[in-house]
């Protein structure tokens, strides 16, 4: 079964995705223009507006004279730049809306398996029964790692951060599957998509076992995707590991909530690296690197460290005071697109209680809930529209499930893999895409001579 049956990159204009901008819905026939007057020359330009956007290259036509390169837009951090058309994930940050392929996250997070969501994100529709069976079979039968990968993982220091191990091992997979370079062959591409989704939890679990000094546990094909992951992490002497259904379910929800989040830092990295037409393992390794940072997927680790440092509800006001003084940030708060409650945080907060019914209550949750209450009542956070994000509560659940903090971003990476791959594939097949190559505004010395 293939995510797409396109074998070669479509010719310009073919197979373009329909852009959906909502609300307001701006479709074909409702396009408009922008009139811009360049006060340097007095010339007025008509710039087409399409789907609520102007092509940045249109600005290039605005020149102060024949020698002028043309106007460019300057946007460090891409605050107001759309770099692609995408049909995968829709976010309305002001309203706190997140949808995968049109389905609201609240409707699917607790009803669908992670592999169904992965299929949806990659293919645009939920699988039929036979498609789902084939998909689960494929993933389940690609979870094993080449034995040489174990030697590779063995080489890491006992205290190596598992994100570093994950990043390197995913990159190393490209040497095991050299055919992966044929990215415009749909069957080969699909094979690598299956391998990456199937093998990422195995690498993650092996990284964890390596740090713990425990033997690696091989995948168990009888278990679900999250159930098998728990097996590879925690199995000891029992002949057959049986995951706790509540923890298996919680992990499934957490993976689903992380499956995609449109053009965030790691996904953009996946697209940018993929735009050079490298293999998906190299691009995914780069995406893991982007996710590792404390401002992105590393934030859940930082949240738990912060809550541990606060230590008690009575210390919260002092902590908030120092955040407001600019000494440090309130980790797990704020988001580039959500200027409202992150809908994923709301679901995670609910799942936390279910996990605690099995693991016992993590005392950090009380500090987190009180911290959230105080922050959401404080003008500093209210005026800047800073709300809890997905990382605020996820780390507390992971900790209750006995994951060491270093594993938190690794769990994020397992969940995000389908999104990275879907976005990578969408970019490859998009006739409008080119190798990513931003401009710069040169501010260095003019020509000079020794
Ligand atoms: N604590 C205190 N102040 C903050 C915070 C925070 N967590 N986040 C933003 N601000 C303030 C910031 O100081 C600035 O104030 P001022 O206007 O007075 O200078 C204002 O809010 C706007 O901040 P910004 O840095 O311009 O916002 P951004 O959109 O560039 O940053 C962010 C987004 C997520 C990097 C940021 O909110 C942050 O650092 N949060 C903490 C780290 C975190 O939780 N990251 C996880 C993000 S969600 C998971 C994911 O997708 O990776």
């Amino acid at each position: 079964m293939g995510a797409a049956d396109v074998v070669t990159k479509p010719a310009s204009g073919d197979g373009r995705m329909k852009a959906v901008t909502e609300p307001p819905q701006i479709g074909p026939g409702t396009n408009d223009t922008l009139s811009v007057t360049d006060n340097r020359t007095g010339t007025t330009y008509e710039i087409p507006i399409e789907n609520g956007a102007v092509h940045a290259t249109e600005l290039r036509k605005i020149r102060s004279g024949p020698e002028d390169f043309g106007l460019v837009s300057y946007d460090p951090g891409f605050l107001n730049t759309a770099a692609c058309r995408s049909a995968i994930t829709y976010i309305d940050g002001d309203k706190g809306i997140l949808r995968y392929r049109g389905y609201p996250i609240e409707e699917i997070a607790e009803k669908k398996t992670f592999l169904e969501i992965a299929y949806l994100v990659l293919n645009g529709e939920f699988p039929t029964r036979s498609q789902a069976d084939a998909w689960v079979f494929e993933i389940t039968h690609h979870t094993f790692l080449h034995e040489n990968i174990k030697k590779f993982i063995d080489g890491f220091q006992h205290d190596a951060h598992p994100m570093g191990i994950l990043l390197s091992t995913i990159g190393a997979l490209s040497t095991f599957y050299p055919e992966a370079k044929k990215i415009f062959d749909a069957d080969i591409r699909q094979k690598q998509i299956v391998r990456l989704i199937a093998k990422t939890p195995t690498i993650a679990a092996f990284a964890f076992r390596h740090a713990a000094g425990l033997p690696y546990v091989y995948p168990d094909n009888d278990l679900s995707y999250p159930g098998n992951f728990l097996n590879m992490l925690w199995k000891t002497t029992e002949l057959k590991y049986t995951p706790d259904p509540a923890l298996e379910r919680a992990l499934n929800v957490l993976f689903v909530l992380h499956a995609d989040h449109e053009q965030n830092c790691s996904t953009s990295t996946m697209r940018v690296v993929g735009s050079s037409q490298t293999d998906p393992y190299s691009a995914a390794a780069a995406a893991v690197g982007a996710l590792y940072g404390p401002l992105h997927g590393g934030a859940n680790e930082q949240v738990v460290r912060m809550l541990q440092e606060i230590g008690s509800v009575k210390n919260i006001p002092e902590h908030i005071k120092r955040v407001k003084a600019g000494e440090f940030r309130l980790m797990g708060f704020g988001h580039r697109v959500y200027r409202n409650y992150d809908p994923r945080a709301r679901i995670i907060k609910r799942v936390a209680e279910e996990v605690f019914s099995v693991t016992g209550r993590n005392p950090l949750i009380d500090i987190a809930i009180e911290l959230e209450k105080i922050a959401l009542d404080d003008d500093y956070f209210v005026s800047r529209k800073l709300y809890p994000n997905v990382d605020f509560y996820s780390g507390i659940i992971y900790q209750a499930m006995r994951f060491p903090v270093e594993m938190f971003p690794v769990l994020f990476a397992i969940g995000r893999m389908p999104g990275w791959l879907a976005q990578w594939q969408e970019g490859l097949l998009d006739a409008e895409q080119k190798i990513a190559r931003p401009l710069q505004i040169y501010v260095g010395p003019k020509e000079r001579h020794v």
Side-chain angles (χ1 to χ4, degrees):
M1 50 195 292
D5 51 6
V6 183
V7 176
T8 51
K9 194 172 172 85
S12 184
D14 286 346
R16 277 191 187 171
M17 283 157 289
K18 276 199 208 103
V20 182
T21 312
E22 55 172 312
Q25 198 119 76
I26 303 165
T30 61
N31 291 343
D32 226 326
T33 62
L34 178 74
S35 299
V36 182
T37 302
D38 184 348
N39 293 325
R40 297 171 301 179
T41 59
T43 312
T44 297
Y45 300 82
E46 288 275 301
I47 299 181
I49 300 176
E50 193 195 338
N51 299 118
V54 293
H55 258 278
T57 47
E58 287 289 326
L59 299 177
R60 194 75 80 75
K61 296 175 187 163
I62 303 176
R63 294 163 172 231
S64 58
E67 296 292 297
D68 191 354
F69 176 80
L71 206 61
V72 299
S73 59
Y74 176 58
D75 191 8
F78 309 114
L79 293 177
N80 197 38
T81 297
C84 62
R85 300 175 195 269
S86 181
I88 301 171
T89 291
Y90 175 75
I91 299 176
D92 182 327
D94 287 332
K95 295 201 180 116
I97 291 173
L98 168 62
R99 297 181 200 140
Y100 297 158
R101 300 284 189 179
Y103 294 102
I105 193 71
E106 295 81 0
E107 273 180 37
I108 54 178
E110 292 170 85
K111 290 200 194 108
K112 297 286 182 185
T113 67
F114 176 64
L115 288 186
E116 285 173 310
I117 295 292
Y119 187 97
L120 170 76
V121 165
L122 280 155
N123 301 286
E125 299 295 339
F126 280 116
T128 61
R129 172 58 71 89
S130 63
Q131 285 170 331
D133 289 347
W135 173 240
V136 172
F137 181 90
E138 279 286 293
I139 299 288
T140 311
H141 287 80
H142 282 88
T143 48
F144 272 65
L145 299 178
H146 191 291
E147 283 293 289
N148 283 348
I149 287 281
K150 286 200 314 194
K151 293 186 209 153
F152 189 82
I153 295 177
D154 282 344
F156 284 98
Q157 290 282 68
H158 69 93
D159 57 354
H161 197 293
M163 260 321 239
I165 299 182
L166 184 70
L167 184 157
S168 327
T169 311
I170 286 180
L173 286 181
S174 77
T175 66
F176 287 78
Y177 307 112
E179 79 275 16
K181 290 187 181 70
K182 294 181 187 163
I183 50 170
F184 292 117
D185 180 314
D187 291 337
I188 291 180
R189 199 171 57 240
Q190 178 66 10
K191 189 70 163 282
Q192 315 320 313
I193 289 173
V194 166
R195 282 179 172 145
L196 272 162
I197 294 174
K199 294 182 197 306
T200 301
T202 315
I203 300 170
F206 280 21
F208 169 77
R209 302 282 294 202
H210 175 70
L214 290 166
Y216 304 127
V217 175
Y218 284 70
D220 180 343
N221 286 2
D222 293 339
L223 298 175
S224 70
Y225 188 88
N228 172 50
F229 182 51
L230 291 170
N231 158 66
M232 294 187 291
L233 291 165
W234 304 118
K235 185 170 185 285
T236 50
T237 54
E238 64 272 49
L239 284 180
K240 183 95 178 158
Y241 178 87
T242 312
D244 184 291
L247 301 187
E248 187 180 2
R249 201 187 97 79
L251 207 51
N252 185 71
V253 175
L254 285 156
F255 286 159
V256 168
L257 293 179
H258 287 88
D260 193 48
H261 212 236
E262 49 116 312
Q263 310 311 315
N264 55 83
C265 180
S266 56
T267 303
S268 302
T269 302
M270 182 91 191
R271 278 185 176 260
V272 166
V273 176
S275 78
S276 75
Q277 301 188 353
T278 189
D279 68 87
Y281 301 102
S282 303
V288 173
L291 187 70
Y292 194 0
L295 296 188
H296 192 9
N300 50 17
E301 179 176 344
Q302 301 303 326
V303 170
V304 167
R305 291 191 197 283
M306 174 187 78
L307 295 174
Q308 281 168 335
E309 208 177 295
I310 294 174
S312 154
V313 166
K314 72 174 177 358
N315 299 330
I316 293 174
E318 176 60 21
H319 189 83
I320 296 261
K321 204 165 115 192
R322 293 177 66 190
V323 167
K324 286 161 67 175
E327 276 186 55
F328 39 71
R329 290 194 162 196
L330 191 55
M331 298 312 289
F333 256 68
H335 200 276
R336 175 61 59 78
V337 283
Y338 292 119
R339 301 298 176 191
N340 199 323
Y341 212 97
D342 181 336
R344 300 168 300 173
R346 195 172 280 125
I347 297 168
I348 289 184
K349 206 169 158 184
R350 210 165 44 232
V351 171
E353 296 300 338
E354 286 172 31
V355 169
F356 298 158
S357 67
V358 177
T359 62
R361 198 172 173 78
N362 184 343
L364 294 185
I365 189 89
D366 298 319
I367 303 178
I369 288 173
E370 188 60 20
L371 188 57
E372 174 188 329
K373 213 163 93 195
I374 294 179
L376 295 185
D377 218 23
D378 190 304
D379 189 54
Y380 176 93
F381 298 93
V382 174
S383 63
R384 289 170 178 78
K385 300 189 175 168
L386 300 172
Y387 292 87
N389 58 49
V390 69
D391 291 321
F392 193 64
Y393 289 106
S394 62
I396 302 172
I397 302 184
Y398 295 147
Q399 199 192 37
M401 290 173 82
R402 295 192 293 135
F403 286 109
V405 284
E406 294 78 18
M407 280 297 286
F408 296 0
V410 174
L411 298 166
F412 193 151
I414 297 172
R416 184 56 54 87
M417 187 55 76
W420 285 337
L421 292 164
Q423 300 270 355
W424 163 76
Q425 176 162 257
E426 189 180 67
L428 279 184
L429 302 181
D430 181 350
E432 281 188 311
Q433 288 296 323
K434 291 179 179 297
I435 186 166
R437 207 300 186 187
L439 297 173
Q440 63 167 6
I441 297 175
Y442 178 70
V443 294
K446 290 205 165 55
E447 182 178 359
R448 52 184 173 165
H449 302 278
V450 283

